[in-house]
Amino acid sequence: MIEPGPQDVLLVIDVQNGFVPGGALPVTGGDEVVPLINRLAGRFQHVVLTQDWHTPGHVSFASSHPGKKPFETIALPYGTQVLWPDHCVQGTADASLHPGLDIPHAELIIRKGYRKAIDSYSAFYEADGKTPTGLTGYLKERGLTRAFLVGLATDFCVAWSALDARKGGFEATVIEDATRGIDVGGSLGKAWQDMTGAGVKRVTSAALER
Ligand code: VGL
Ligand code: ZN
């Protein structure tokens, strides 16, 4: 049984309209995790939310690259980019947090992917791997050393955040049944492989729920 304490933080990744059925980039079963995340959040003193928050015409959108379709990839200066349907555009309903999310005690919302020319799956660093969002400093200054991750999508924003948490010297644990994946081109299996290799722990909510 894991008993969250004052040094623990729950990172709720991208639980937004855009990533649930009916959204622009729906993750299968994405809405199913919302009640569970609400219950888990009640176990944590400290909760941080993230919000995918793109400009119109963002570089990660297939529509920004003539002839390209969603889920194809392109080479960008910072690496290979999967192209997505237009999603989570700043200020739109698609970018809003899911209305069922009920975590009034959340302390911070990190917005990411807000620069037109660079994506940011991770809550810690943009896709170049070096432009910080500020979350590392926030957690360190607050004395928060152990991150638990839930939300969407397992194989992109959750995985990249968990991997960067490890790089930043934090303990990182993904609560698997409180996530759902996209799984494009084997990305889900690869994400778990990378996370396990980096020392990210994998638990189910049973380890936290009374
Ligand atoms: C995400 C693809 C594009 C995510 C965000 O939240 O996992 N995936 N933008
Ligand atoms: Zn995005």
Side-chain angles (χ1 to χ4, degrees), residues 7-194:
Q7 301 190 322
D8 295 331
V9 61
L10 183 68
L11 302 182
V12 179
I13 306 295
D14 296 3
V15 181
Q16 294 168 258
N17 290 329
F19 298 119
V20 301
L25 177 39
V27 181
T28 305
D31 51 340
E32 295 165 7
V33 298
V34 174
L36 176 56
I37 290 174
N38 289 339
R39 288 201 304 277
L40 287 168
R43 302 268 288 127
F44 285 81
Q45 249 178 74
H46 305 292
V47 180
V48 170
L49 313 177
T50 69
Q51 210 171 8
D52 211 39
W53 197 249
H54 297 308
T55 60
H58 192 259
V59 73
S60 73
F61 297 169
S63 64
S64 304
H65 307 273
K68 290 288 182 182
K69 291 201 216 40
F71 309 105
E72 293 180 359
T73 58
I74 51 160
L76 289 179
Y78 56 81
T80 302
Q81 172 72 52
V82 180
L83 296 174
W84 305 106
D86 291 26
H87 65 280
C88 296
V89 172
Q90 297 167 3
T92 65
D94 198 62
S96 296
L97 295 170
H98 189 283
L101 210 56
D102 185 16
I103 316 181
H105 67 294
E107 295 170 354
L108 176 72
I109 301 174
I110 289 274
R111 287 174 168 171
K112 60 187 180 59
Y114 51 74
R115 278 186 245 274
K116 195 172 183 180
I118 183 166
D119 205 1
S120 185
Y121 296 145
S122 164
F124 293 89
Y125 290 95
E126 300 189 22
D128 60 0
K130 54 181 190 245
T131 305
T133 64
L135 183 57
T136 302
Y138 178 85
L139 297 181
K140 291 206 165 155
E141 277 206 289
R142 304 279 324 280
L144 300 169
T145 57
R146 201 158 68 145
F148 291 79
L149 295 97
V150 297
L152 307 170
T154 322
D155 38 348
F156 289 92
C157 293
V158 173
W160 287 50
S161 298
L163 291 168
D164 279 351
R166 294 293 299 138
K167 280 187 201 136
F170 302 98
E171 273 189 55
T173 302
V174 173
I175 307 173
E176 182 174 9
D177 53 327
T179 73
R180 291 290 185 278
I182 296 174
D183 203 15
V184 48
S187 55
L188 190 56
K190 185 183 180 304
W192 278 117
Q193 225 174 27
D194 292 348

